[in-house]
Amino acid sequence: MSDYRPLTALPPVPGYTTGDVLVLFGELFGRGYANGLVEEAKRLGMTVIGTTVGRRDSDGTLRPLTAEELAEAEALLGASIINIPLEAGFDMETPDGQPSIAEQLKKAKPDEWQQVSFSAEFIAKAQTAGQARFTANVAQLATELERRIPAGANLLFAHTMAGGIPRARFFMPLLNRVFKGTGDKYLPSEPFWQSGVGQLCDASFNEVTADTFRYLLDGTASLRQRVTAGGGKVAYTAYGYHGTGILLNGEYHWQSYTPYLQGFAKMRLEDIAAEARQQGVNATVFNCPEIQTNSSALFLGVELSLYPLLHSVRNAVGADAAPLEQRCAELLQDGTTLAGLLAEADAYLTNPLINDSLEFSGWPQHSTKEQMELMLATSNRLMALHRDQKQLVCAELSRLVFRATGRLIVQGSWSSQKAAVWLNHDLIAQLVADQRGADLLD
Ligand SMILES: NC(=O)c1ccc[n+]([C@@H]2O[C@H](COP(=O)([O-])OP(=O)(O)OC[C@H]3O[C@@H](n4cnc5c(N)ncnc54)[C@H](O)[C@@H]3O)[C@@H](O)[C@H]2O)c1
């Protein structure tokens, strides 16, 4: 695990320019963190190359995108996509012709989750098969990139993959109980995580969220050498999450969402970047704030720590924060003020029940019923203050965060020296207060 190292100053101005290339390692589906990287790379004149997870046919076969799907995905990205399916994980693998994990789970009953398990041998075989498929596809990707990267260009690889919940209906009611359950429905994260299905998730999260970064680093080693020999720089970035520093009572405090079960895999991701650095590769995990995206939709309450970003921005830019505050205030119901909303969020975030149980060295913490009930009730109450549940203050703030972090990551990758750094609310506020980021408040 890394030490807590927030970036406290804006990164040096990078040397990326027209003709340099950003490769997104992970498909972009809109509304996600990677939008910020794409926007920044294009702003700097870089060429963006996308990738895809591919699609599964109804018989389970993984395939590239059809011409129509490819055109749609490229239109969304605004750039070309290398059409090689980069789905990671092993839930659909059928080692020795045995039914896949996803298939076997079709018969499992969520109520009997404690009795469901897979032999370590079966998981290992499925994992080996999934790795072989994925790394073979990464090798093809590297060959295609060899053709596309212009001589002398600088190259930035951005890993965006995270996930690994095995694709089976079985998990939905269970995970809803772990992440959204109150009263009788509450399921503590610790026994879930220690169970057979919890350990399956652990292996699957490691594979998708962390080990794919290693496969990228290994699979592009010869491309890296070629680019470097031609005078170009090569950098690798990955999105991490390991809590965030936010402004509470006038000071910045590290805090985190609980229970963040992907956290074990996110620490493994940091370790992979550290190993790469020991071999002289510029690889950095940028730990980013909690925002609302497709991936975070399951984690109700994760958005609560986003509200105080408004304090950070106000502190940094003063009256220039007014248009952002105005846009946020307009989303609230009549009779509700932004100040009132922020006061409730602050009260929650400073509540000893939430605050006292958090410790960086013991992260990620498991849930307690009282914490979960307070978090979910606060989240629901603050959402209910909005005019429209589909237009939220946190969506406005998420946009600011993914755009700002995209800029910080692309620019920071150029001269990054550390395996893991934190992009906290203070740095985002510093960016928008600087001429390098003032436009992000628009
Ligand atoms: N949303 C947050 O609060 C938050 C906070 C910090 C870091 N992050 C990280 O940012 C990154 C982007 O996430 P996001 O929140 O923008 O959501 P997202 O849903 O847009 O991105 C998730 C990415 O993972 C890929 N993916 C999922 N399962 C995969 C699989 N089996 N094989 C290959 N690729 C797979 C998707 O294609 C997508 O590119 C992730 O690494 C996430 O952990 C998110």
Side-chain angles (χ1 to χ4, degrees), residues 331-352:
L331 301 173
L332 301 178
Q333 293 200 13
D334 292 343
T336 304
T337 63
L338 203 54
L341 179 98
L342 288 176
E344 276 217 48
D346 288 352
Y348 163 80
L349 291 160
T350 52
N351 187 314

Side-chain angles (χ1 to χ4, degrees), residues 72-351:
E72 222 172 276
E74 290 187 331
L76 183 74
L77 182 64
S80 83
I81 287 177
I82 296 180
N83 193 8
I84 297 167
L86 290 181
E87 183 190 291
F90 53 86
D91 58 343
M92 304 284 275
E93 297 301 326
T94 54
D96 305 333
Q98 296 178 72
S100 69
I101 287 166
E103 188 61 35
Q104 292 187 44
L105 284 172
K106 279 186 184 162
K107 293 189 210 96
K109 297 199 177 86
D111 289 349
E112 293 166 11
W113 61 274
Q114 279 151 307
Q115 280 86 57
V116 179
S117 70
F118 295 87
S119 77
E121 194 195 349
F122 177 72
I123 292 186
K125 278 188 179 170
Q127 232 168 339
T128 305
Q131 282 165 13
R133 169 181 50 74
F134 188 81
T135 52
N137 289 354
V138 172
Q140 277 188 49
L141 173 78
T143 306
E144 181 57 27
L145 286 172
E146 290 260 2
R147 287 198 322 105
R148 293 203 194 189
I149 310 294
N154 298 301
L155 179 56
L156 169 56
F157 283 104
H159 177 280
T160 69
M161 294 174 184
I165 297 172
R167 276 161 290 186
R169 282 214 185 119
F170 167 83
F171 273 107
M172 274 309 119
L174 270 179
L175 294 178
N176 272 325
R177 289 185 58 199
V178 171
F179 295 113
K180 298 184 188 169
T182 56
D184 292 347
K185 291 262 184 292
Y186 168 73
L187 178 59
S189 60
E190 189 160 16
F192 169 76
W193 196 243
Q194 303 306 339
S195 72
V197 288
Q199 291 306 292
L200 170 67
C201 286
D202 188 22
S204 188
F205 292 177
N206 282 341
E207 188 66 35
V208 175
T209 300
D211 293 357
T212 46
F213 196 39
R214 189 195 307 282
Y215 306 144
L216 169 67
L217 286 155
D218 290 351
T220 53
S222 71
L223 173 61
R224 185 164 68 236
Q225 276 154 16
R226 182 175 75 71
V227 172
T228 315
K233 276 183 177 244
V234 183
Y236 294 80
T237 67
Y239 280 103
Y241 175 71
H242 198 153
T244 308
I246 63 170
L247 188 58
L248 292 172
N249 294 333
E251 275 180 33
Y252 279 91
H253 289 271
W254 175 88
Q255 58 72 53
S256 175
Y257 167 83
T258 300
Y260 187 66
L261 294 176
Q262 286 270 358
F264 302 97
K266 286 294 191 192
M267 287 193 289
R268 186 172 168 114
L269 182 69
E270 293 173 356
D271 292 343
I272 292 168
E275 281 166 32
R277 283 213 168 257
Q278 276 162 12
Q279 290 157 25
V281 180
N282 175 5
T284 310
V285 172
F286 287 88
N287 287 316
C288 287
E290 304 78 359
I291 63 168
Q292 280 175 331
T293 65
N294 293 336
S295 288
S296 61
L298 178 64
F299 309 111
L300 191 64
V302 72
E303 78 290 349
L304 288 165
S305 58
L306 191 48
Y307 293 107
L309 180 62
L310 283 164
H311 294 311
S312 300
V313 173
R314 169 57 66 171
N315 273 8
V317 304
D320 287 347
L324 171 69
E325 292 165 352
Q326 178 70 21
R327 286 200 299 279
C328 291
E330 281 166 5
L331 301 173
L332 301 178
Q333 293 200 13
D334 292 343
T336 304
T337 63
L338 203 54
L341 179 98
L342 288 176
E344 276 217 48
D346 288 352
Y348 163 80
L349 291 160
T350 52
N351 187 314

